[in-house]
Amino acid sequence: MGKYSIKDLEKISGIKAHTIRMWERRYGLIEPQRTETNIRFYSDCDLKRLLNVSILNHNGIKISHIAGLTDAEIKNRVLDLSIDGRSSSVQIESLMVAMLELDETKFLNGLSSSIIKLGFEVSVETVLFPFLERIGVLWQAGTINPAQEHFISNLIRQKLFVAIDNEMQSPVQNGPRIIMFLSEHEHHEIGLLFYNLLARKEGMNVVYLGAGVPLEDLSLVHRLRPADVFMTSFITAMDKQEMEDLLREYHKRFPDIPFYLSGLQMELLQPELPEGFTVVNKVRVFKERLRLLRYEA
């Protein structure tokens, strides 16, 4: 069973801690437990209930009305909103519940509904990326089970692999070569897989190396298949100085090759970037960069 602080609940649901406490006292929506040392904590059931309440409240249903609904009625209302699929916040919170319940069918149905309404690329950027950021922060803090994160990550990877495989059936791409990789201690590749798909759609010649690539191996690949641009991503928590040292080492090793950088840590740390290094955390920015690269080639 997961154990969550009220700050964890705030991060996941977007509901302020003082509001959660007020809902506890006034409506009894959730009820915290206490450790042997009298520290309050919340269970998976509390988190799932709060997420469902948050979905309904964000869609205009007053909390006083929600408090009078049974658990079954709340779930049915949420299901109706999830199927409707117009709100990315509803989709994200529904995916969170599916993760906590390890419910593959619920997760895939919610994701498919979003893809039908928004399209694959928009769903990834507006639903999956924010969802992964939420669970990534909680996973690093140790407040969710790594198995839950792995369960969901593997489902998303499967979707991306199918899309990439379909794109690879197209004629060989002859655009500029982009080498995509994750550094030696980075293993969260979902974001990079998505950019791999986008690069192929834009006609780039993609060399995808995946996770945990040592610098020496990257140099070897570059000698065999010279890159026009490198791309990497930083999701795992790290020290700002450590990141800046690594970026400088990449620049020293490949001084004339531009680097595209993405990932949550780029936004959180905002490191000083070497010349030729660019943050591309938005699909629009990434596509613009690729088109400029093709124009200059």
Side-chain angles (χ1 to χ4, degrees):
M1 181 184 72
K3 290 185 177 180
Y4 309 91
S5 69
I6 197 164
K7 285 296 183 183
D8 292 332
L9 298 189
E10 183 180 68
K11 289 177 183 177
I12 301 173
S13 67
I15 301 170
K16 297 296 184 183
H18 70 85
T19 301
I20 296 173
R21 292 193 183 98
M22 182 183 70
W23 289 358
E24 284 179 32
R25 293 193 301 268
R26 185 173 298 177
Y27 302 107
L29 283 173
I30 54 176
E31 186 174 344
Q33 302 174 56
R34 293 185 180 272
T35 65
E36 294 179 356
T37 55
N38 206 35
I39 297 175
R40 293 155 52 101
F41 71 91
Y42 300 84
S43 68
D44 285 334
C45 289
D46 294 324
L47 176 55
K48 285 184 284 188
R49 182 172 174 80
L50 185 64
L51 284 169
N52 284 332
V53 168
S54 174
I55 290 171
L56 298 184
N57 188 238
H58 286 161
N59 281 272
I61 303 177
K62 293 183 178 180
I63 194 65
S64 57
H65 179 72
I66 299 171
L69 299 175
T70 65
D71 284 345
E73 289 170 333
I74 289 174
K75 288 180 179 179
N76 286 336
R77 294 281 190 93
V78 169
L79 180 60
D80 290 340
L81 288 169
S82 299
I83 293 173
D84 181 59
R86 285 176 292 185
S87 168
S88 60
S89 64
V90 171
Q91 297 298 314
I92 293 166
E93 288 159 346
S94 297
L95 295 183
M96 291 293 297
V97 173
M99 179 198 70
L100 293 167
E101 295 177 346
L102 296 179
D103 190 327
E104 179 175 331
T105 300
K106 179 183 289 186
F107 181 84
L108 292 177
N109 285 345
L111 182 56
S112 296
S113 174
S114 176
I115 291 171
I116 291 170
K117 295 288 192 307
L118 305 174
F120 188 82
E121 291 183 17
V122 175
S123 293
V124 171
E125 185 172 24
T126 63
V127 176
L128 278 185
F129 279 5
F131 164 74
L132 290 169
E133 286 183 3
R134 286 197 197 185
I135 65 173
V137 169
L138 295 174
W139 180 79
Q140 290 173 16
T143 53
I144 63 171
N145 190 322
Q148 294 169 319
E149 192 259 355
H150 294 159
F151 166 76
I152 289 299
S153 294
N154 284 329
L155 291 179
I156 298 171
R157 282 161 55 91
Q158 290 170 21
K159 287 278 189 182
L160 287 168
F161 283 139
V162 169
I164 291 168
D165 185 63
N166 289 337
E167 195 62 34
M168 290 174 69
Q169 305 309 313
S170 303
V172 176
Q173 306 299 302
N174 57 3
R177 180 175 295 126
I178 181 169
I179 295 180
M180 295 182 155
F181 72 98
L182 296 178
S183 64
E184 199 165 358
H185 303 293
E186 180 63 69
H187 299 280
H188 293 80
E189 63 174 328
I190 288 178
L192 199 65
L193 280 171
F194 178 58
Y195 285 115
N196 174 7
L197 174 62
L198 295 180
R200 292 179 186 278
K201 285 179 175 289
E202 292 294 319
M204 296 289 287
N205 182 343
V206 180
V207 177
Y208 187 83
L209 303 181
V213 179
L215 185 55
E216 291 304 321
D217 290 358
L218 190 62
S219 297
L220 174 62
V221 172
H222 179 59
R223 286 197 295 272
L224 295 174
R225 303 287 301 280
D228 294 295
V229 61
F230 287 101
M231 183 169 188
T232 189
S233 179
F234 295 93
I235 302 296
T236 302
M238 64 189 305
D239 179 75
K240 181 177 180 179
Q241 187 62 54
E242 179 186 5
M243 177 184 284
E244 290 179 343
D245 290 345
L246 180 58
L247 296 180
R248 280 194 291 269
E249 185 61 34
Y250 286 145
H251 185 254
K252 179 180 177 182
R253 192 69 66 101
F254 312 104
D256 301 318
I257 310 297
F259 269 71
Y260 297 162
L261 311 170
S262 69
L264 177 62
Q265 295 303 319
M266 298 307 302
E267 295 182 6
L268 295 179
L269 299 180
Q270 297 188 358
E272 182 178 345
L273 302 179
E275 183 180 358
F277 283 55
T278 306
V279 176
V280 288
N281 267 340
K282 299 293 184 183
V283 169
R284 174 184 55 78
V285 175
F286 181 64
K287 288 184 175 181
E288 288 173 354
R289 285 282 167 177
L290 292 188
R291 289 163 187 169
L292 180 61
L293 192 69
R294 286 177 60 85
Y295 177 77
E296 293 174 345

